[in-house]
Amino acid sequence: MTSNAFSGSTVPDLYEASIAELQDGLVQGLFSSVQLVEAYLSRIEEVNLKGPALHAVIETNPKALTQAAALDDERKEKGSRGPLHGIPLLLKDNIATLYEEGMNTTAGSYALLGSVVPRDAFVAAKLREAGAIFIGKTNLSEWAGARSIPLPRGFSGRGGQTRCPYYPNADPFASSSGSGVAMAVGLAAGSLGTETRASIVAPSSRNNIVGIKPTVGLVSRSGVVPYSSNQDTPGPMCRSVTDAALLLTFIVGPDPRDEATLHQPGIVPDYTKALDKHALKGTRLGVPRSFIRNMKAIEETFNSSLDIFRALGAEIIDPADFPNGEELLASKAEKLVMAVDFKVGISKYISELVEVPTGVKTLADLIEFNKINPDLELPSPFYTDQSRFIEAEGTQVDDAYFAALAQNFDLGRTRGIDATLAKFNLDAIILPTDVLEPKPTAIAGYPLISVPLGFQPDGVEVLPATPSPLHSQAPGIPFGIAFMGTAYSEFKLISYAYAFEQATHVRLQRRAYNDAIPRTQLVGIM
């Protein structure tokens, strides 16, 4: 999708523009990084708090234009740093960025407002070194969902309620919702989210974009506000597999500040080399049918997609159910591990901050902060719950915790994903993202990729009829398909996801509802 600009040249439509298209325009001198940042900031201004009030972005970078100008000058004087030089990105608000840059890192909570981080998060530093510009921080489920399960998804005290742009007041679906919504309507060229339990893939599915949850240990978590040290990982959320693979290539690698990354394979590949539209030929893909329940429209679309896979040369094994499926779903081990991990991890993270103006130090302090500041953190009637915080405060690192952790690895890895892949001789596992049981990949720490699959039919019932505060189901709401594999199988999964994406181009079949689409384009800025 392009718009005509000066002297017959074409300038990308920012709703859909790829990173490569934007970089080509910068290289050709059709527009500058300053103009690109101005355009994206204007698009954020249009729809974030005004109009549809998507609440996708918590704050923007006051130095973004200055940084863009410096990168424009550098390009003229020294040449380009590479494919991300001068490219505007958004980061989830639990990923640290230099305090002196002027943006906060708060996980959506007023409890960390004004806190001073010691440095960029590892992933932010890698992207900054590549020439990327962070134009803002995206909204999220506060504390990445660690505060409460009943809390509406996509709500944070600082950022308010994120909304899906495909239907007014629709649920944006899980923690990295701001990044998902921002990508859906073109508020930046690319973004990062984080996943503990479906937090990248679920909002990617709901907002019609691509999300990659890497193997835990492929991408460093240092400088990321933690939820679970055993399950957390940052990952890219973009409009295409190509863009997501590019960002992933830049953020992977060992980091002495994150022990898990020191065990990754010696040579990490260039994931853009996985972009092969013929990759599905000769593959065996399994469908864990017993996990797919009570989602008629989604299941019908998924079943139809199996013929597309077959046409692309894949053999579909259906059903290919997990040998330990019922035992895995019934296990309570994950809940305990996540609770303990958060209680321990958040105290450690806060202790490493340079300054915390609110004085909070522990999970108990966060609970008390919320009680003292209900207007900021616990507004009625929908956002008063912090039950998951309270439950976690009552936990400790003990024998039960270590037993639960061992059970997770056994259920998720040995007798779960790896056993299923081996039993059916599979290259990967596929299923609809929205009906995906996130537990296997979450507790295993294994990779997952979601790409667009379809949309709810126009005649589907709106549920609930009156949003409270969100609609969980509505006409035109997108949903995705997930590719699951063993540890460090990202290269294969990206190739399969890319082949499917290129054969279907589902994202392009439907846009957000009209009022949620920003009107600012580069042409108007230029």
Side-chain angles (χ1 to χ4, degrees), residues 123-352:
V123 291
K126 296 269 276 187
L127 293 171
R128 195 188 295 279
E129 184 183 10
I133 304 164
F134 308 133
I135 59 170
K137 294 288 190 73
T138 57
N139 201 7
L140 68 164
S141 299
E142 192 172 289
W143 300 106
R147 190 181 111 184
S148 163
I149 289 178
L151 201 67
R153 292 175 290 202
F155 169 82
S156 73
R158 287 194 62 223
Q161 178 64 64
T162 311
R163 299 178 175 92
C164 171
Y166 281 83
Y167 193 89
N169 295 307
D171 186 342
F173 220 42
S175 164
S176 302
S177 53
S179 295
V181 171
M183 289 300 95
V185 295
L187 303 187
S191 73
L192 294 188
T194 63
E195 176 151 329
T196 307
R197 197 178 198 272
S199 301
I200 286 174
V201 296
S204 295
S205 172
R206 176 57 57 93
N207 293 289
N208 198 26
I209 64 163
V210 174
I212 301 178
K213 177 244 175 166
T215 304
V216 173
L218 183 65
V219 179
S220 172
R221 290 86 52 86
S222 68
V224 177
V225 182
Y227 188 157
S228 167
S229 59
N230 291 288
Q231 298 183 195
D232 291 347
T233 177
M237 299 173 69
C238 298
R239 285 179 288 276
S240 68
V241 176
T242 300
D243 286 351
L246 178 65
L247 289 192
L248 182 63
T249 298
F250 276 96
I251 62 175
V252 298
D255 173 15
R257 291 192 177 94
D258 184 353
E259 170 70 21
T261 66
L262 304 182
H263 307 291
Q264 62 186 239
I267 299 175
V268 178
D270 175 353
Y271 294 103
T272 63
K273 290 185 165 50
L275 305 174
D276 175 9
K277 64 183 179 182
H278 304 295
L280 285 165
K281 189 172 183 180
T283 60
R284 286 172 58 88
L285 305 178
V287 178
R289 186 61 64 172
S290 65
F291 287 159
I292 304 174
R293 305 169 182 175
N294 306 320
M295 289 277 190
K296 183 170 182 248
I298 295 175
E299 187 171 358
E300 287 175 356
T301 306
F302 173 75
N303 290 340
S304 297
S305 78
L306 298 180
D307 287 332
I308 298 171
F309 284 104
R310 294 184 182 104
L312 293 170
E315 182 181 355
I316 302 298
I317 315 304
D318 183 8
D321 285 319
F322 280 46
N324 68 336
E326 293 306 316
E327 182 186 0
L328 192 155
L329 295 182
S331 171
K332 302 287 191 248
E334 181 189 24
K335 183 179 179 183
L336 174 60
V337 169
M338 290 173 66
V340 175
D341 283 351
F342 183 74
K343 180 181 179 181
V344 173
I346 199 61
S347 293
K348 181 176 185 292
Y349 174 84
I350 294 173
S351 74
E352 293 171 354

Side-chain angles (χ1 to χ4, degrees), residues 339-422:
V340 175
D341 283 351
F342 183 74
K343 180 181 179 181
V344 173
I346 199 61
S347 293
K348 181 176 185 292
Y349 174 84
I350 294 173
S351 74
E352 293 171 354
L353 295 173
V354 176
E355 184 182 343
V356 185
T358 61
V360 297
K361 294 180 180 179
T362 65
L363 175 55
D365 293 341
L366 297 180
I367 294 168
E368 189 62 24
F369 179 89
N370 292 345
K371 289 179 180 177
I372 294 170
N373 298 280
D375 292 347
L376 297 177
E377 288 293 337
L378 307 173
S380 296
F382 302 116
Y383 308 110
T384 59
D385 193 83
Q386 56 173 338
S387 55
R388 197 177 249 184
F389 265 15
I390 294 167
E391 289 173 12
E393 175 57 23
T395 65
Q396 61 185 351
V397 177
D398 54 16
D399 290 345
Y401 166 78
F402 289 114
L405 187 58
Q407 184 181 12
N408 274 350
F409 291 157
D410 178 54
L411 288 173
R413 298 175 182 177
T414 311
R415 294 195 292 127
I417 294 171
D418 289 332
T420 306
L421 292 170

